[in-house]
Amino acid sequence: MSTRPVLQIIVASTRPGRVGLPVAEWFRSVAEKHGGFTVELVDLAELNLPMMDEPNHPRLRQYVHEHTQRWSATVDRADAFVMVTPEYNHSFSAALKNALDYLSHEWANKPVGTVSYGGISAGTRAQVALRPVLASLKLFPTGGAVNIPVVRQFLTEEGTVEPNDVMSAAADAMLVELEVLAHTLAPLRATAQS
Ligand SMILES: Cc1cc2nc3c(=O)[nH]c(=O)nc-3n(C[C@H](O)[C@H](O)[C@H](O)COP(=O)(O)O)c2cc1C
């Protein structure tokens, strides 16, 4: 791992007019100010993966499709992740589940935080539903998370996100955790690869 770990912020909503992109852009600006990471935004709408279409189990890494090979290379170079997900029907987005299912080793032994949002539930049910999926891929969820209630109240007329103090403090705390975990877990990843 380079001195500054790579943090990928994954935008999990893909529909036109989504709030997910401005939420992710807000979090990216906080992560850049934090300064501990090389920050990348990964937009699942741009990635445009089809529904899982690989014939082999991802743990074999025998990917036959170019879109999977590209996705594998992208996730491989990351040292940490933040999933920015809406709450849809009390869970996280189907696009995120699909993107997670495509790969296996590429996720392992890396820390992950969540920024979830929705209505009055603040995306908490999406966050809770996501946790066991992340753990099954050997991702290490942070203790803290960012939960945004009634997300549209934080949108400005320009379509950017204006956070409140609770959101800002939660984002800062999660980045501290992610940075420590990214460095702490690096030896484990090196062992797994050798
Ligand atoms: C299909 C669908 C299901 C939704 N289900 C929930 C829900 O279970 N809980 C909730 O708080 N909000 C729910 N919402 C509201 C969304 O959280 C809200 O519209 C949010 O802006 C969606 O994120 P996006 O704009 O990034 O797609 C739902 C929205 C959609 C489109």
Side-chain angles (χ1 to χ4, degrees):
M1 187 172 70
S2 61
T3 42
R4 282 213 307 181
V6 172
L7 172 69
Q8 289 181 348
I9 299 168
I10 298 185
V11 189
S13 67
T14 56
R15 62 185 193 92
R18 63 208 160 132
V19 176
L21 192 57
V23 171
E25 276 164 356
W26 159 66
F27 192 85
R28 170 162 65 177
S29 71
V30 180
E32 280 169 352
K33 272 191 212 115
H34 169 81
F37 296 100
T38 299
V39 181
E40 298 180 4
L41 198 80
V42 178
D43 185 350
L44 294 188
E46 265 177 37
L47 190 71
N48 201 21
L49 285 169
M51 288 300 280
M52 170 57 156
D53 62 352
E54 284 290 335
N56 303 307
H57 194 292
R59 70 171 173 262
L60 300 173
R61 282 188 106 145
Q62 290 168 1
Y63 304 130
V64 302
H65 296 296
E66 210 239 324
H67 55 252
T68 316
Q69 287 155 12
R70 266 190 286 121
W71 182 223
S72 167
T74 299
V75 173
D76 234 1
R77 71 168 177 265
D79 301 296
F81 305 96
V82 168
M83 309 294 177
V84 178
T85 185
E87 180 166 304
Y88 290 157
N89 299 312
H90 295 199
S91 192
F92 55 97
S93 75
L96 179 56
K97 181 66 162 62
N98 189 48
L100 286 164
D101 288 344
Y102 257 97
L103 308 176
S104 176
H105 298 288
E106 296 87 338
W107 300 114
N109 302 314
K110 299 177 184 179
V112 57
T114 53
V115 176
S116 62
Y117 56 90
I120 199 73
S121 70
T124 49
R125 292 172 294 209
Q127 181 212 328
V128 169
L130 183 54
R131 214 175 161 88
V133 178
L134 301 176
S136 84
L137 289 163
K138 296 189 186 160
L139 280 152
F140 283 64
T142 54
V146 181
N147 301 109
I148 309 175
V150 196
V151 64
R152 287 195 175 272
Q153 71 182 305
F154 298 105
L155 280 185
T156 66
E157 277 178 16
E158 294 74 43
T160 57
V161 164
E162 188 64 49
N164 64 14
D165 291 347
V166 174
M167 287 162 62
S168 297
D172 288 339
M174 197 168 77
L175 283 159
V176 169
E177 245 191 289
L178 280 168
E179 189 184 1
V180 171
L181 284 170
H183 289 285
T184 307
L185 293 172
L188 194 55
R189 290 208 294 285
T191 309
Q193 278 159 16
S194 62

